[in-house]
Structures are given as C-alpha cells and as structure tokens.
Amino acid sequence: MSEVDSPTAPTRPTPSSAVTVTTTADPAPRPGPRRVRLTVSRVDPWSAMKVSFLVSVGLGVAIVVMITVLWMLLSGMGVYDQINTMVNKIIGDNETKFDLLDFVGFGRVVSLSVVIGVINVLLLTALATLGAFLYNICASLVGGLQTTLTDE
C-alpha cells in the first residue's frame, strides 16, 4: 500500500470543494444597536466587602469634613454667640452664664463626627457583605438578576 492509498494519509481539497468568498462594495447596515441580555448569577462577597469598605471610608471622610466646615461656618457667622446672648436673656440670672460651646465645642463635634464615621464604615461594610451573601442565596433559587446591555 502506498501513501496515497493509505487511510491515514492527509486528504487534499479538490478544486470543487474549495470555498469561495465574495465581497460586496456596500455591506448591509445594521438594523440598530446590538442588544445583549445578561444575568448576574453571583456576587463575590469578598469583592463586595472591599468595594463597600472603600466607599464607606470615603463617605466617612466626607462626613467629618462636612461637619467641620459647617461648624466653622456657623461659628464665623456668630450663631453660637447669638444663641448664648438669647439664652442668657431668657434665664435672666447674671450669676449663671450659659455657654453653648461647652456642649457643642469644636473638639467635641469633630470627635463625635469621627466616631460616627467609624461606625458608618463598620456598618456599611458588614451590610454590603451580608447583602452579597443574601443575593447569592436568592439568585440560586430564582436565577439571578437579568439585565440588557446595548451597544450604541
């Protein structure tokens, strides 16, 4: 038996089985934007925790800065002094002086906003991680969240 007659020999395409490609000058335009339907079947809890931690740290810093600027703005406008004089007029006792800054001083307000920011970071991170676990359980039961993306 020769190589040509061998069943394991590679076969060569004959001219009749060759594929011909034709091109046109004007390709047909697309009918519209391409639409793809996707399903979010699982959310990784570890990545949800990392992202929610970073977002909540950013929110915590923003809260502290916002409270600091608000306190300085109110102090600069003299709101605390006006409240002090009004309360002292209402009390009418010259021996007892009321000072609002004993209760809402700058250090006290900023430290309270830092504590609120830290609690915010812990709670948001824990809730987002728990939400990812709950989403995975619900998605395994009902199939997940379906969304449609378009390419315009």
Side-chain angles (χ1 to χ4, degrees), residues 44-109:
D44 186 32
W46 178 249
S47 66
M49 185 185 77
K50 291 188 291 188
V51 169
S52 65
F53 175 76
L54 289 177
V55 168
S56 61
V57 164
L59 285 174
V61 169
I63 286 173
V64 171
V65 169
M66 180 186 64
I67 295 294
T68 303
V69 168
L70 182 65
W71 191 94
M72 293 172 113
L73 184 69
L74 291 175
S75 176
M77 290 172 40
V79 172
Y80 301 126
D81 295 331
Q82 290 178 0
I83 292 174
N84 284 335
T85 58
M86 183 180 66
V87 171
N88 284 326
K89 282 181 183 179
I90 292 172
I91 293 174
D93 188 12
N94 291 337
E95 295 176 10
T96 307
K97 289 291 183 182
F98 176 79
D99 191 14
L100 183 64
L101 294 180
D102 290 341
F103 301 103
V104 291
F106 182 73
R108 191 175 267 187
V109 168

Side-chain angles (χ1 to χ4, degrees), residues 84-142:
N84 284 335
T85 58
M86 183 180 66
V87 171
N88 284 326
K89 282 181 183 179
I90 292 172
I91 293 174
D93 188 12
N94 291 337
E95 295 176 10
T96 307
K97 289 291 183 182
F98 176 79
D99 191 14
L100 183 64
L101 294 180
D102 290 341
F103 301 103
V104 291
F106 182 73
R108 191 175 267 187
V109 168
V110 171
S111 63
L112 183 64
S113 66
V114 167
V115 168
I116 290 172
V118 168
I119 291 171
N120 180 31
V121 167
L122 295 175
L123 285 178
L124 283 179
T125 303
L127 286 175
T129 306
L130 182 64
F133 278 116
L134 290 175
Y135 177 80
N136 289 338
I137 291 170
C138 292
S140 66
L141 295 174
V142 296

Side-chain angles (χ1 to χ4, degrees), residues 7 12 19 24 37-38 54 57 78 89-90 101 116-117 129 133 146-147 149-150 152:
R12 294 187 182 131
V19 177
T24 59
R37 191 167 181 174
L38 299 173
L54 289 177
V57 164
K89 282 181 183 179
I90 292 172
L101 294 180
I116 290 172
T129 306
F133 278 116
Q146 292 185 355
T147 182
L149 300 176
T150 60
E152 293 188 32

